[in-house]
Amino acid sequence: MKEITIVGAGLAGCEAALQLAERGWKVNLYEMRPHKMTPAHHTGLPAELVCSNSLKSDLITTASGLLKAELRLLNCKLLDLAEKRRVPAGNALAIDRILFAEDMQQILESHPNIELIREEVKEIPEPPVIIATGPLTSDRMVQSLLTLLGEEQLYFFDAIAPIVSADSIDMDICYSKSRYDKGESDYLNCPFNKEEYLAFVEALRAGEKHEAHEFENQWFRDIGFQFYENCVPIEELASRDKDTLRYGVMRPVGLEDPRTDRRPWAAIQLRAENSERTAYNLVGCQTMLRYPEQKRIFRLIPGLENANFERFGSIHRNTYLNSPGILNKDLSLRKASGVYLAGQLSGVEGYIESITGGLLAALSVAGEYRLLPETTIIGQLQRHITTPMKNFQPMNANYGLLPPLEENIRDKKKKKQALSDRAIEHLQSSFE
C-alpha cells in the first residue's frame, strides 16, 4: 500500500486525505490542534470554518457556483458533506460549521486508510507529502519552508465577523427577507435610516482597534496592515467614504421592509450560523475593533441594541507563499521532489478554493494530474498559482479569470450563464 503524509487537517488537507484514501493510499494526516491552537480557531475539530459559515452562492451564474459545479464533476468529497449540514441561506451554501466539522472528524477517525495524528509537524516530512497547513501555518513550519525555498514570505491580515444569539435580536425591528425575494427568506435584515447609518459609520471610524503586536510575534511587528480586499474590516471600509458601506455590504437594494414597503437607507444582513437558528452571523461585519468597542458599536445596529455576542470579531495573520516562483505545474515544489502545496498556503483564497487545492494536490500525488481547460475556474486557479508573475496575490473564484466568449453578450446574467455553460462543457470534454 502506498503511503503519504498530509500536514494540516483543514479543508484542503481533509479533501486530499479522502481522495487518496479512496484510491487505496495509507494517509497519515497530522493536525496540531487542539494541542497547539491558532489565534483564530475555536476548536480542535478538522475542517473548522473560521471566518464564516458560508461557502458562497450555489447559482451557476456566479463564479462560486461554477466552481462548485466543476468540483462535483471531479468527485469532490467535502461538498457532499457540506450539503448534509446545510442551513438556510437563500442561494448560498451555508453550513452548521460545528456539525460539519464533527462529521468530518468521525469520517476521518473511522476510515481504515486514514490515521488522524494530533501533533505539530515542525519540519517538512519525507516525501511524498502534502503541506496543507493553511493561512495560520505555525512559525516553525513556515521557517522550515523558507529555509528550503529561500523565498521571502508573503502575508496579509484577515478579519472575522461577530456572531450574536438569536434570542437577543429585536424582531420588532429586524425582518426576514432575502434580497429581491429570491428563494426563501433566510436572512434577517437590520434597517437603518439616514441618521442611524451616519452615526454607525462615525462610530466605526472612531472605534479603538487592535494593534498588530498584540497578537503577532516579532516576525510581523511594525509591518503595517495588508488586507485581502474581500476581507477588509468594516471599520476600514467606513473610513474610505461615508457612503462606502451603503453602496457595498450594507446596500439596501432588494431589501424593502415588508412592514412599510419602503427601502431603508442602509441594511445589515444576519445569516443563520447553525441549523437551529439560535445564532446569527453579522454578514460583512468582519472587524479588528477591540471587544468592548464591538459591543458598543454593533449595538448601534437597529434591532441589536441588546445583542448578546456569542463570538466577537477578530483579526489574524493569513500566510501564503510566492507559489508561482516555487511550484511546478503539478503543485510540487521545484526544490523538493514529492513535496506538494495545497490550499490557502499556495495562494488560493476562500473555502471552496482551498478544497479545490486539496483535490488537485491529491490528483497529482495519485498520478492523475492534468492542466484543466483555461475556460474553467479550476484551470485558471491552477495557472494563477503556477505561472510566474510580479506582485503575486491570493486569488478566489471570479469570472475575470476566464477568457472572453467568442460572441459579445451584453446582458450580464446571460453572459455569466454562457461562461459557465462553456466551462462545464469543456471540463466534461477533457475527460472523454
Side-chain angles (χ1 to χ4, degrees):
M1 178 181 287
K2 295 180 180 179
E3 188 168 351
I4 186 168
T5 297
I6 299 178
V7 186
L11 296 173
C14 288
E15 179 68 30
L18 294 175
Q19 291 288 342
L20 288 168
E22 185 180 80
R23 288 166 169 78
W25 286 68
K26 172 66 172 68
V27 178
N28 298 307
L29 178 59
Y30 285 83
E31 172 55 55
M32 67 180 185
R33 294 178 294 115
H35 304 303
K36 181 173 182 178
M37 296 295 289
T38 74
H41 285 88
H42 290 263
T43 75
L45 295 170
E48 178 187 343
L49 276 62
V50 173
C51 298
S52 165
N53 70 326
S54 175
L55 303 183
K56 297 186 177 180
S57 177
D58 257 349
L59 293 177
I60 194 65
T61 51
T62 65
S64 59
L66 172 57
L67 178 56
K68 293 187 190 73
E70 293 177 4
L71 284 172
R72 290 186 176 100
L73 288 176
L74 297 179
N75 194 29
C76 175
K77 305 301 181 185
L78 266 62
L79 281 180
D80 289 341
L81 180 59
E83 286 288 350
K84 295 178 181 178
R85 293 305 183 183
R86 188 171 194 143
V87 298
N91 293 316
L93 174 55
I95 63 174
D96 186 315
R97 65 177 93 189
I98 296 299
L99 294 179
F100 173 79
E102 289 176 344
D103 287 350
M104 179 58 62
Q105 178 163 293
Q106 190 277 327
I107 291 170
L108 295 174
E109 291 179 341
S110 62
H111 200 293
N113 290 346
I114 298 175
E115 182 178 1
L116 180 59
I117 305 168
R118 301 292 189 163
E119 179 182 321
E120 181 185 4
V121 178
K122 301 176 182 179
E123 303 288 339
I124 299 174
E126 289 296 316
V129 59
I130 296 175
I131 307 297
T133 45
L136 299 172
T137 298
S138 69
D139 291 344
R140 292 289 296 272
M141 176 55 73
V142 168
Q143 187 58 61
S144 178
L145 286 165
L146 293 181
T147 299
L148 168 66
L149 300 172
E151 293 283 342
E152 181 179 359
Q153 183 185 5
L154 304 179
Y155 58 86
F156 66 101
F157 287 91
D158 201 3
I160 299 173
I163 295 173
V164 298
S165 61
D167 58 9
S168 67
I169 300 171
D170 188 344
M171 295 305 297
D172 288 332
I173 296 176
C174 298
Y175 57 94
S176 179
K177 181 181 176 66
S178 292
R179 201 177 298 276
Y180 299 113
D181 291 318
K182 292 183 177 179
E184 297 296 325
S185 300
D186 295 329
Y187 289 83
L188 295 180
N189 300 277
C190 304
F192 289 74
N193 61 33
K194 184 176 181 179
E195 292 72 24
E196 291 167 337
Y197 171 79
L198 292 175
F200 181 61
V201 168
E202 184 56 35
L204 288 171
R205 289 177 171 181
E208 188 177 2
K209 305 176 183 66
H210 286 286
E211 298 294 335
H213 63 78
E214 292 184 56
F215 59 92
E216 298 295 343
N217 65 21
Q218 63 271 16
W219 283 22
F220 300 95
R221 294 179 183 178
D222 304 320
I223 56 178
F225 292 109
Q226 293 186 9
F227 293 103
Y228 182 65
E229 189 62 25
N230 285 357
C231 296
V232 176
I234 189 171
E235 63 272 11
E236 292 296 309
L237 292 172
S239 69
R240 294 178 180 180
D241 184 88
K242 65 180 176 63
D243 289 321
T244 297
L245 293 174
R246 195 165 71 90
Y247 290 111
V249 68
M250 293 178 64
R251 65 190 184 282
V253 293
L255 295 178
E256 288 76 12
D257 190 333
R259 293 165 296 194
T260 64
D261 291 326
R262 296 181 62 183
R263 179 192 298 177
W265 185 258
I268 280 179
Q269 291 195 296
L270 309 180
R271 182 178 57 235
E273 179 65 23
N274 53 31
S275 56
E276 294 82 11
R277 300 196 191 193
T278 59
Y280 281 81
N281 187 293
L282 277 63
V283 177
C285 292
Q286 56 269 11
T287 181
M288 63 184 203
L289 292 168
R290 291 181 177 277
Y291 291 171
E293 291 288 78
Q294 290 186 45
K295 181 180 292 187
R296 178 180 67 85
I297 294 171
F298 288 124
R299 281 181 172 174
L300 295 176
I301 297 172
L304 300 187
E305 292 84 354
N306 298 304
N308 177 35
F309 291 84
E310 301 286 348
R311 184 192 72 186
F312 287 108
S314 64
I315 57 172
H316 56 272
R317 186 189 81 223
N318 269 7
T319 303
Y320 63 96
L321 297 172
N322 182 24
S323 295
I326 62 176
L327 288 184
N328 295 310
K329 293 295 184 182
D330 66 354
L331 308 186
S332 65
L333 294 177
R334 296 174 189 172
K335 292 187 176 182
S337 177
V339 178
Y340 300 81
L341 289 188
Q344 291 195 63
L345 187 63
S346 68
V348 296
E349 171 59 30
Y351 292 148
I352 299 299
E353 292 83 350
S354 294
I355 293 171
T356 301
L359 190 154
L360 291 175
L363 294 178
S364 293
V365 170
E368 302 174 24
Y369 178 86
R370 66 178 70 185
L371 190 60
L372 297 176
E374 65 176 5
T375 52
T376 64
I377 295 288
I378 297 178
Q380 288 294 1
L381 289 175
Q382 288 176 299
R383 290 164 174 81
H384 179 74
I385 63 176
T386 59
T387 303
M389 67 183 73
K390 292 183 179 180
N391 303 318
F392 174 68
Q393 291 290 315
M395 183 63 66
N396 62 358
N398 65 87
Y399 282 112
L401 292 170
L402 303 179
L405 296 163
E406 291 185 4
E407 59 176 318
N408 183 28
I409 301 177
R410 292 192 175 184
D411 184 276
K412 291 183 179 180
K413 187 173 183 179
K414 291 181 179 179
K415 181 178 180 179
K416 291 177 179 179
Q417 182 69 60
L419 288 167
S420 295
D421 290 344
R422 182 185 66 178
I424 296 302
E425 178 185 353
H426 288 184
L427 185 57
Q428 289 174 328
S429 297
S430 71
F431 287 93
E432 293 179 354

